[in-house]
Amino acid sequence: MISKSKLVYDFSEGSREMRDLLGGKGANVAEMTRILGPERVPAGFTITTEVCVAYMEADRQEPEGLEEQVSEALGRLEAHAGRELGHARDPLLVSVRSGARESMPGMLDTVLNLGLNHESVEGLAKITKNERFAWDSFRRFVQMFANVCRGVSGESIEAAIERHKAEAGVELDTELDVDRLRALTGDLEALYRQKTGEDFPQDPYEQLRHAIRAVFDSWLGERAVAYRRMNRIPDRWGTAANVQQMVFGNKGDSSCSGVAFSRDEVTGEPEPSGDFLVNAQGEDVVSGVRTPRDISELRGAMPSAHQELMDILRALEGHYRDMQDTEFTVEEGSLFMLQTRSAQRPAQAGVRFAVDAVNEGLLEKHEALLTIDADRLDALLHDTFVPGTEFTILTEGVAASPGAARGQIVFTADDAVTAAGEGRQVVLVRPFTEAEDVKGFKAAQGIVTSRGGKASHAALVARGMGKPCVAGAGALEIDLNAKVARVDGQELHEGDVITLDGSTGTITLDEVPLEEPQMTPEFETVLKWSDEMRTLGVRANADTAEDATKAREFGAEGIGLCRSEHIFLGTKHQSTMQAMIMAETDEERGAALQELGSLQKEHFKALFGVMQGQPVTIRLLDPPLHEFIPNAEELAQQVQRARSEGNNDLAELEHTLDRVHELTETNPMLGTRGVRLAVLHPDVYEMQVSAIVRAALEVIEELGEAPMLEVMIPLVAYEQEVELMRELVDRVVDREGASDLELSLGTMIELPRACFVADLIAQRADFFSFGTNDLTQTALGFSRDDVGGEMLARYLDQDILERSPFETIDKPGVGWLVRLAAWVGREAKPELKLGICGEHGGDPESIAFFQLAGLDYVSCSPYRVPIARVAAAQAAVAETPGG
Ligand code: ADP
Ligand code: MG
Ligand code: MG
């Protein structure tokens, strides 16, 4: 439904604020008209995005009143230009240009030189005294109109052009003379007739109607729909259509068309960059029919236009207060601006621009910070493909953990460890990964899986460790027994070298050169500003002294999550853990626990040594016990084998298998884990707390200071659980004679019930840390291990979800639980400390939400810490504009 009766706006009526209605192109062309003056921007008008929406809703029917308003606007344009559309002696020609709210480069259609026909082309030739130009314009129009408005294939059009070039014996279309262009146009018209069964339309108004429709139709085209899916642009926005007086870059050697960035679009250096082509119209610059020249050469070719362009680029930057990406045409020496928009920029250019903009006085620090896309900063923290390198994609999957990596293929974690021991670089390739594969992640340069998505185990662990990962590369068929992977009829064997880019999800056999990340001085500056401006604390999730060191390097202010089970999972100590779990007698269990305790103490001691003076949150054992013991299926196979071979280990193996079956739960994620385990077997948590206390006492004795200790209980649902755990902790602290040691006790908040009774829990806890991975899982009832495949993809496709709730917090649902718990928790205890330690802690959009929810800190993987620092500063600036 159209809400307003005004369907068409002249450029002189619009402004940049009207982007939703006029589209980005229309709004900015109008803005440029105002600030640069009407002589710099060809005049025209915009048919609104609402018209496109109405057109779609009415099954491709133009809304009532459109024709009239277009014809009135055209009348004003004709009066302004002093020419009539398609007039036989002195025709007005126009372009019809699409333009959505968000730029969708190259996805929507444009028609140039509209208004030409058999009569007006002759008129144009006469009045400009440039016959070649007139015919060049006409053949371009026939070409574009046929293709865009009537679906005549680009190949058949190209073939006609190629034929004429070959007959004329020339390579470039600029070398075709008038006669050739006439003949070519005739052939194109014949092609048009053949493909559509109609003559090429001579009536300029009919041409215009078709072109406007074609622009709206292009919104619904396959290309555009696919692009919107990928970039999460809603279908309902629609595109505007702009009708604009033509200016001509194809009038000879003093004319050109080009694109220009106000600064180097790759490096962000202050010198403008861009491309141009002499004697050409705009589409030639992007289509690659000729190789464009660097914008610096424009100075020599057209000095005054070059100078004007440089001045305008500065003026536009000053006006928009952001780096600009523009399109221009020079017609016989006069410069016209045809488009401007904020420039897309890679991370290094974004950071460079922000710092330069402040130094130049263009922006205040807080404004400069907001121009940075925090998500993209990832690229500055990992190896990347050298930009611009060409390579053949072997196959693609989900971009699960950023960065590029190369190595020989291995198929098991053990092989990865062995290879790394021999000094070989490897990539671990598995259908999916589990806890016991983690040692292989450490040893590998990167990880590839054929199943799972961004929330899969492989993706989470890889991101946590800063290892590049491509997950869910579904075309890879991995045969673990034969140690081969097949894709598209190719076989990959152990030892074959592959290269992956976890930022894009691509895998290649080509040895693409890789580039090391660089902490530039500009990036350091941006981080320094961020620390000045943010109010949220930023901590890291770190399990080992090594992680902790990395975290401090990246500027973490403490550890928000140390998973205490780390040293027992997938390490050589797993067998001790197994012995404890499998123990038959109290003595056996006690002995195993004692050994675990001393391992745990040494581990904490190393970590505490790195983290002196900073807070460290240690989460007591969280996973279900069966994760520490052998895989039931593998074990059953061993039992089979032992049975047939008459092996004497049989009895023991059978016994183990029984125990494994006892421990195995149907829904382990909702089973006996976290605090529930401690309610059943308090001795494990007792062992862990005493390890913490002893490690702290030893560090104090040896180094003078320990970290600020925060013991955290996972999976709490009931306030009584916290009470029980406080008693346990007090008991152990007493027993260790450490009642002077400062140690606070808090809980993970990761179950909906905990959010509802947060006041009751807060009365018994010193801090909350939101475990938003599990909270999302339990609040939505989505299994985080399974959601990555088909289902999530469909939910995204059908716009039920905009992003995965495991990447960006589901604000109205899970986010509401966070706000509720924060609110009632603080009601009960105003000094309650609040943090978040899920994957969301490193996601800029979620960080903005946590700022508003009033949390004290976020905690994320060490490699995301710099991103979180910038995002937290942006969130603080957004909350109190003006800094
Ligand atoms: P896209 O969104 O694909 O960039 P545009 O509508 O910007 O499409 O048109 C592509 C190119 O066509 C422009 O960069 C410009 O060179 C040329 N063009 C569009 N309108 C005009 C015009 N009125 N006069 C001259 N050239 C034009
Ligand atoms: Mg454009
Ligand atoms: Mg959890």
Side-chain angles (χ1 to χ4, degrees):
M1 265 309 290
I2 294 263
S3 58
K4 296 181 210 78
S5 50
K6 190 165 167 62
L7 311 178
V8 177
Y9 289 75
D10 289 352
F11 290 165
S12 55
E13 295 177 290
S15 71
R16 66 197 275 198
E17 283 77 35
M18 294 165 77
R19 154 179 221 118
D20 290 359
L21 186 64
L22 303 180
K25 202 180 284 167
N28 287 321
V29 165
E31 185 81 4
M32 282 199 299
T33 308
R34 285 200 307 127
I35 58 174
L36 302 177
E39 63 290 346
R40 277 277 171 252
V41 185
F45 54 88
T46 304
I47 303 166
T48 68
T49 55
E50 288 181 352
V51 172
C52 177
V53 173
Y55 173 81
M56 292 190 293
E57 281 173 358
D59 227 356
R60 304 193 178 197
Q61 272 277 310
E62 286 88 350
E64 210 170 308
L66 180 65
E67 197 168 337
E68 201 186 325
Q69 292 194 29
V70 167
S71 115
E72 283 167 13
L74 189 61
R76 291 191 294 273
L77 180 58
E78 289 176 330
H80 171 91
R83 297 187 177 108
E84 285 170 31
L85 185 68
H87 191 276
R89 272 199 326 276
D90 184 9
L92 168 69
L93 304 186
V94 296
S95 64
V96 179
R97 317 172 65 188
S98 57
R101 214 190 274 196
E102 294 284 330
S103 132
M104 297 168 58
M107 292 299 133
L108 304 173
D109 290 326
T110 293
V111 180
L112 303 182
N113 310 322
L114 188 141
L116 283 174
N117 56 26
H118 295 146
E119 268 188 315
S120 60
V121 67
E122 303 292 357
L124 184 66
K126 258 200 208 114
I127 204 144
T128 58
K129 302 196 182 64
N130 191 340
E131 218 184 347
R132 187 193 179 279
F133 151 71
W135 280 94
D136 183 52
S137 302
F138 191 24
R139 68 94 188 172
R140 286 171 184 273
F141 173 50
V142 176
Q143 228 175 290
M144 289 181 108
F145 188 91
N147 179 241
V148 167
C149 303
R150 301 304 303 269
V152 177
S153 79
E155 289 96 72
S156 56
I157 294 173
E158 263 326 296
I161 300 175
E162 286 307 318
R163 205 168 52 240
H164 278 277
K165 284 204 265 190
E167 281 173 19
V170 300
E171 269 180 30
L172 300 174
D173 53 10
T174 40
E175 297 168 309
L176 296 171
D177 63 15
V178 185
D179 293 337
R180 258 311 149 192
L181 289 170
R182 270 183 205 270
L184 170 58
T185 310
D187 283 0
L188 290 171
E189 283 187 88
L191 182 66
Y192 182 93
R193 207 171 301 120
Q194 182 201 330
K195 294 281 155 103
T196 66
E198 291 167 21
D199 284 338
F200 189 81
Q202 297 293 307
D203 175 4
Y205 301 98
E206 189 188 337
Q207 294 173 351
L208 183 60
R209 265 196 310 280
H210 270 303
I212 292 171
R213 273 183 155 244
V215 164
F216 291 155
D217 287 340
S218 71
W219 177 259
L220 299 169
E222 231 172 86
R223 237 180 348 159
V225 171
Y227 182 90
R228 288 202 291 276
R229 290 273 172 284
M230 246 167 60
N231 294 278
R232 312 251 153 266
I233 296 174
D235 290 340
R236 59 171 190 285
W237 281 1
T239 176
N242 300 286
V243 177
Q244 185 174 29
Q245 178 174 7
M246 281 300 299
V247 287
F248 301 99
N250 57 335
K251 263 195 179 169
D253 289 343
S254 57
S255 303
C256 73
S257 294
V259 298
F261 293 85
S262 60
R263 312 191 177 223
D264 189 287
E265 83 271 33
V266 176
T267 64
E269 282 161 26
E271 195 59 28
S273 64
D275 288 329
F276 75 103
L277 269 177
V278 172
N279 196 13
Q281 288 198 322
E283 74 274 15
D284 300 349
V285 183
V286 276
S287 72
V289 291
R290 282 191 274 152
T291 309
R293 294 162 66 184
D294 192 87
I295 203 80
S296 56
E297 294 177 28
L298 187 62
R299 192 197 309 267
M302 303 171 197
S304 79
H306 177 265
Q307 189 52 52
E308 279 168 356
L309 178 63
M310 296 300 117
D311 293 346
I312 284 177
L313 290 173
R314 278 289 161 263
L316 287 174
E317 249 195 11
H319 180 73
Y320 284 95
R321 313 183 81 204
D322 197 8
M323 191 168 150
Q324 296 296 297
D325 165 1
T326 70
E327 294 170 9
F328 66 92
T329 282
V330 177
E331 178 178 338
E332 300 188 313
S334 305
L335 173 70
F336 296 92
M337 298 307 295
L338 295 168
Q339 191 172 331
T340 192
R341 62 184 167 213
S342 279
Q344 294 279 340
R345 63 209 87 164
Q348 76 260 31
V351 164
R352 173 77 197 250
F353 170 74
V355 173
D356 286 353
V358 171
N359 291 338
E360 292 165 20
L362 181 65
L363 298 176
E364 303 279 332
K365 278 184 200 172
H366 66 274
E367 294 169 319
L369 260 188
L370 292 180
T371 65
I372 293 174
D373 183 347
D375 249 332
R376 289 200 185 187
L377 295 175
D378 238 352
L380 299 182
L381 303 165
H382 299 280
D383 281 4
T384 50
F385 284 14
V386 170
T389 315
E390 295 206 355
F391 61 94
T392 311
I393 292 175
L394 174 70
T395 187
E396 287 176 289
V398 175
S401 177
R406 172 171 26 252
Q408 302 174 356
I409 296 177
V410 290
F411 291 99
T412 71
D414 286 330
D415 291 345
V417 173
T418 313
E422 295 165 3
R424 285 188 287 138
Q425 306 217 313
V426 295
V427 171
L428 178 62
V429 178
R430 308 252 334 144
F432 59 92
T433 65
E434 300 173 283
E436 61 184 26
D437 297 319
V438 170
K439 60 179 183 287
F441 281 58
K442 277 218 179 98
Q445 306 302 117
I447 295 91
V448 170
T449 67
S450 57
R451 285 191 241 153
K454 280 197 168 169
S456 64
H457 175 267
L460 289 181
V461 175
R463 283 202 292 276
M465 293 172 49
K467 298 276 182 178
C469 172
V470 174
L476 270 188
E477 265 179 58
I478 300 170
D479 183 342
L480 289 178
N481 289 323
K483 295 198 173 173
V484 281
R486 293 183 190 85
V487 55
D488 269 348
Q490 288 199 62
E491 282 201 354
L492 306 178
H493 297 269
E494 194 176 41
D496 290 355
V497 174
I498 58 169
T499 304
L500 61 116
D501 185 349
S503 316
T504 57
T506 44
I507 301 169
T508 177
L509 296 178
D510 297 350
E511 301 218 348
V512 184
L514 305 184
E515 202 171 71
E516 286 216 338
Q518 351 157 350
M519 254 296 181
T520 58
E522 285 88 6
F523 194 17
E524 306 266 13
T525 304
V526 164
L527 288 169
K528 197 178 102 239
W529 295 345
S530 300
D531 291 344
E532 287 161 17
M533 268 174 255
R534 69 188 159 86
T535 54
L536 270 176
V538 176
R539 299 194 195 178
N541 298 346
D543 301 333
T544 61
E546 200 186 331
D547 290 350
T549 309
K550 189 101 267 148
R552 289 198 80 147
E553 260 170 47
F554 281 134
E557 300 159 316
I559 292 176
L561 175 64
C562 162
R563 303 170 191 87
S564 61
E565 61 269 15
H566 177 87
I567 49 158
F568 307 126
L569 261 179
T571 69
K572 58 181 187 289
H573 304 309
Q574 187 157 340
S575 54
T576 317
M577 191 73 183
Q578 264 180 41
M580 189 272 289
I581 297 167
M582 311 296 281
E584 306 270 319
T585 64
D586 284 351
E587 284 93 77
E588 271 174 35
R589 189 176 167 87
L593 271 169
Q594 195 162 14
E595 193 181 334
L596 290 174
S598 64
L599 288 168
Q600 184 102 79
K601 187 206 75 186
E602 288 308 319
H603 182 82
F604 286 144
K605 212 177 136 182
L607 178 76
F608 294 172
V610 178
M611 296 306 297
Q612 281 174 294
Q614 290 200 334
V616 173
T617 309
I618 303 134
R619 183 181 70 188
L620 300 184
L621 193 80
D622 184 42
L625 286 183
H626 83 262
E627 279 201 19
F628 298 94
I629 56 186
N631 177 291
E633 249 169 68
E634 279 170 26
L635 200 57
Q637 280 174 6
Q638 282 176 28
V639 169
Q640 279 295 340
R641 230 174 296 136
R643 218 170 256 156
S644 61
E645 288 165 12
N647 197 318
N648 11 348
D649 294 341
L650 181 62
E652 201 188 318
L653 283 170
E654 280 179 332
H655 182 73
T656 312
L657 184 60
D658 283 345
R659 186 79 179 118
V660 170
H661 281 147
E662 263 170 49
L663 286 167
T664 303
E665 298 171 308
T666 320
N667 271 323
M669 276 295 192
L670 303 176
T672 316
R673 50 176 286 223
V675 68
R676 298 167 191 175
L677 205 70
V679 173
L680 266 61
H681 310 285
D683 52 1
V684 179
Y685 274 19
E686 283 175 13
M687 172 273 283
Q688 291 195 298
V689 175
S690 93
I692 293 169
V693 170
R694 287 180 194 180
L697 293 178
E698 287 182 24
V699 169
I700 293 172
E701 183 158 322
E702 288 167 27
L703 302 172
E705 192 185 12
M708 296 147 67
L709 298 175
E710 302 175 337
V711 173
M712 178 158 76
I713 313 293
L715 219 73
V716 163
Y718 295 96
E719 58 280 16
Q720 293 88 346
E721 290 166 337
V722 189
E723 238 160 65
L724 210 58
M725 292 305 118
R726 196 173 274 283
E727 282 164 26
L728 182 151
V729 170
D730 288 347
R731 191 161 67 237
V732 175
V733 170
D734 262 1
R735 195 165 65 211
E736 298 294 338
S739 38
D740 287 345
L741 192 68
E742 272 191 55
L743 179 152
S744 59
L745 179 75
T747 68
M748 293 283 286
I749 298 287
E750 52 189 338
L751 293 172
R753 188 182 195 277
C755 297
F756 296 130
V757 302
D759 49 343
L760 302 178
I761 295 177
Q763 285 158 11
R764 295 155 177 89
D766 304 317
F767 64 90
F768 286 173
S769 179
F770 290 96
T772 50
N773 297 344
D774 267 313
L775 188 59
T776 299
Q777 174 164 261
T778 52
L780 302 179
F782 270 149
S783 158
R784 123 162 88 117
D785 298 311
D786 305 313
V787 82
E790 171 86 11
M791 192 185 57
L792 186 61
R794 290 294 197 85
Y795 268 58
L796 294 169
D797 265 356
Q798 298 184 35
D799 285 339
I800 300 172
L801 289 177
E802 252 179 55
R803 300 187 58 175
S804 161
F806 292 99
E807 277 170 45
T808 297
I809 192 145
D810 160 43
K811 288 175 221 162
V814 178
W816 193 83
L817 287 172
V818 171
R819 297 179 78 130
L820 173 71
W823 174 46
V824 299
R826 285 236 176 92
E827 286 282 300
K829 182 179 274 178
E831 72 277 19
L832 186 72
K833 197 172 352 163
L834 299 173
I836 128 97
C837 64
E839 275 281 298
H840 303 95
D843 170 61
E845 193 181 329
S846 307
I847 291 172
F849 174 82
F850 298 132
Q851 169 89 21
L852 292 173
L855 303 199
D856 296 304
Y857 69 88
V858 297
S859 186
C860 57
S861 86
Y863 292 85
R864 300 244 3 140
V865 164
I867 296 168
R869 286 158 70 192
V870 174
Q874 292 175 331
V877 170
E879 195 184 36
T880 42

